[in-house]
Amino acid sequence: MDEGKNDLRLTRRSFLAAAGVVGAALFLKANAPAVAAAIAGSDKKLVWLRGSGCGGCTASMLNGGDPDVLSALEKVGLEPEYHDEFMLQQGVFVDGSLSGSSDHNSRIRLSELLAGGDYVLVVEGAIPDGPEGSGRYCMSGAMPFKQLFTEAAPGASCIVAAGTCASYGGVSRLFRAADAAGVAFGGTSRLKGAMSRYGVDNKVINVPGCPTHPEWLLLVLADVLSGRDVALDMYGRPVALFGATVHDSCPRRGAYDRGDRDNEFSGGNCLYSLGCKGPLAYADCPTRRWNGASSMCTRAGGPCVACVEPAFPDAFMPFFGKSESKELFADLAVDDIAKVVIGASAIGAGIHAVKRLAIGESGREEKGEKK
Ligand code: SF4
Ligand code: SF4
């Protein structure tokens, strides 16, 4: 294919130029076995659509990985053919020419890709149904995003929901009139997910996080392309990445166990009394770390806000204070949600911590005294 300047297809060169990708971390070094297993020869197409969200998951993806994200995608055998954020609405006119072909018009290009089928579909952002069922709170070109999603989903060999908005509705769900849902879940409920709403039935893997971690996404894509069955938890997340709580391996866990809790920031002890939701958040952040494996929330001094959980953000506010037993979603209280989030499994101090987060702690701790 000609890589001329009028060509809007996402070639390696055009993608790098559009995105300004900065490569800088340890993706391949840290995950060589998983990537090597996937290299074995897929040349699947990647279609990336963006619904209601801030674009942070795309930004996170672009900032992660050594080599850069496009090289990583190439190594796992995935060809990025379409990305909403970089290509949306391009090609009405190009260099004075009418845009009558897929080389010049991104929407024609997308239509051709969807007609061809057998692509990996990454969805970023939630899928609003509002106002009043029109879906017009999130438009993609001249089309409600929910319509684009229902056109794109059936032909996908696998759908990967990137980030908490796409997985569960996330922050987008907070604006009630938008009636936004994740791909397969709306909060903790499958019945409220976009697929169930619109009668779509596909394999979906949720890779939550606000934003999602670039390595989580790349590893899941590598697994999908290698044909391996990805074991998922009850909320559709890969168990290998989201099977243990942040609290389990937190660098401040020793302080928690000793009862050394900080009541002001910058103290260096456990952040539980400052609102940390690490006992409720299932993700490998402490061992994987972020930003080139340099740090993560609790290591950097910020409480975990449980950004990977289906009930985020509602159930975990206030972020920088202890949760209270208050009603959410009309008839569901935070302690109920906490139980749903943690499911039936009590891991380590999990249930104990859930109870504390939900109903408050002893008077001694309320006064800032150590146990
Ligand atoms: S409560 Fe938060 S800061 Fe404290 S040990 Fe657990 S995860 Fe770390
Ligand atoms: S530590 Fe908690 S808030 Fe921070 S990225 Fe991980 S799950 Fe999200």
Side-chain angles (χ1 to χ4, degrees):
M1 185 179 69
D2 177 22
E3 290 189 10
K5 64 180 178 177
N6 293 337
D7 191 342
L8 293 180
R9 296 184 193 203
L10 275 182
T11 61
R12 173 184 172 80
R13 196 177 308 162
S14 63
F15 187 92
L16 286 170
V21 170
V22 182
L26 300 168
F27 171 71
L28 268 188
K29 281 180 205 157
N31 304 291
V35 173
I39 288 175
S42 161
D43 58 352
K44 280 254 189 201
K45 296 177 174 118
L46 170 66
V47 174
W48 184 305
L49 299 181
R50 184 181 154 197
S52 174
C54 67
C57 292
T58 286
S60 177
M61 187 78 170
L62 295 177
N63 280 317
D66 180 8
D68 59 75
V69 62
L70 193 70
S71 302
L73 289 175
E74 284 182 342
K75 287 202 182 290
V76 300
L78 199 56
E79 189 64 37
E81 294 271 354
Y82 182 88
H83 191 299
D84 247 344
E85 208 150 345
F86 303 126
M87 300 173 74
L88 183 67
Q89 300 259 297
Q90 289 185 39
V92 176
F93 289 92
V94 177
D95 290 346
S97 303
L98 279 174
S99 54
S101 78
S102 58
D103 283 344
H104 295 265
N105 186 305
S106 56
R107 195 40 64 104
I108 293 174
R109 175 72 182 140
L110 178 60
S111 298
E112 287 180 0
L113 284 166
L114 300 191
D118 198 27
Y119 41 83
V120 174
L121 176 62
V122 172
V123 177
E124 173 184 5
I127 304 167
D129 201 57
E132 296 166 359
S134 69
R136 295 182 68 82
Y137 273 134
C138 182
M139 300 296 287
S140 181
M143 180 186 291
F145 184 72
K146 75 170 190 176
Q147 184 183 336
L148 181 57
F149 170 73
T150 54
E151 287 181 12
S157 55
C158 180
I159 301 176
V160 176
T164 299
C165 286
S167 298
Y168 310 117
V171 171
S172 302
R173 207 183 60 233
L174 284 182
F175 176 43
R176 299 287 186 242
D179 197 8
V183 172
F185 285 83
T188 55
S189 170
R190 268 188 204 277
L191 296 176
K192 294 180 179 170
M195 292 180 57
S196 143
R197 280 177 171 175
Y198 309 129
V200 179
D201 184 18
N202 282 77
K203 178 180 176 185
V204 178
I205 300 177
N206 286 331
V207 190
C210 192
T212 193
H213 195 301
E215 290 181 15
W216 293 338
L217 198 52
L218 289 169
L219 284 169
V220 166
L221 290 171
D223 264 351
V224 165
L225 294 173
S226 67
R228 269 184 289 177
D229 253 350
V230 182
L232 305 178
D233 72 5
M234 65 190 292
Y235 297 117
R237 299 172 292 196
V239 174
L241 306 173
F242 301 96
T245 67
V246 168
H247 181 70
D248 285 341
S249 308
C250 176
R252 295 170 191 256
R253 177 59 187 268
Y256 174 92
D257 290 343
R258 291 191 302 275
D260 292 335
R261 318 275 167 80
D262 286 335
N263 291 298
E264 291 180 359
F265 288 104
S266 308
N269 289 313
C270 172
L271 301 163
Y272 180 74
S273 298
L274 292 167
C276 186
K277 313 298 189 297
L280 298 173
Y282 282 78
D284 66 5
C285 304
T287 48
R288 183 170 309 282
R289 300 187 192 170
W290 287 72
N291 301 320
S294 62
S295 193
M296 48 79 66
C297 298
T298 62
R299 185 182 175 91
C304 170
V305 296
C307 75
V308 292
E309 290 302 323
F312 175 86
D314 315 44
F316 304 105
M317 294 190 280
F319 288 159
F320 303 118
K322 286 183 190 171
S323 297
E324 296 163 8
S325 187
K326 60 182 179 181
E327 286 207 343
L328 297 166
F329 306 133
D331 58 351
L332 208 51
V334 71
D335 48 349
D336 298 325
I337 291 172
K339 284 174 202 157
V340 172
V341 165
I342 207 160
S345 60
I347 298 179
I351 289 294
H352 193 46
V354 168
K355 197 172 167 197
R356 288 183 170 194
L357 280 167
I359 64 175
E361 291 190 284
S362 70
R364 283 193 304 162
E365 286 212 331
E366 292 294 342
K367 291 176 197 147
E369 296 170 10
K370 290 178 187 176
K371 287 193 74 178

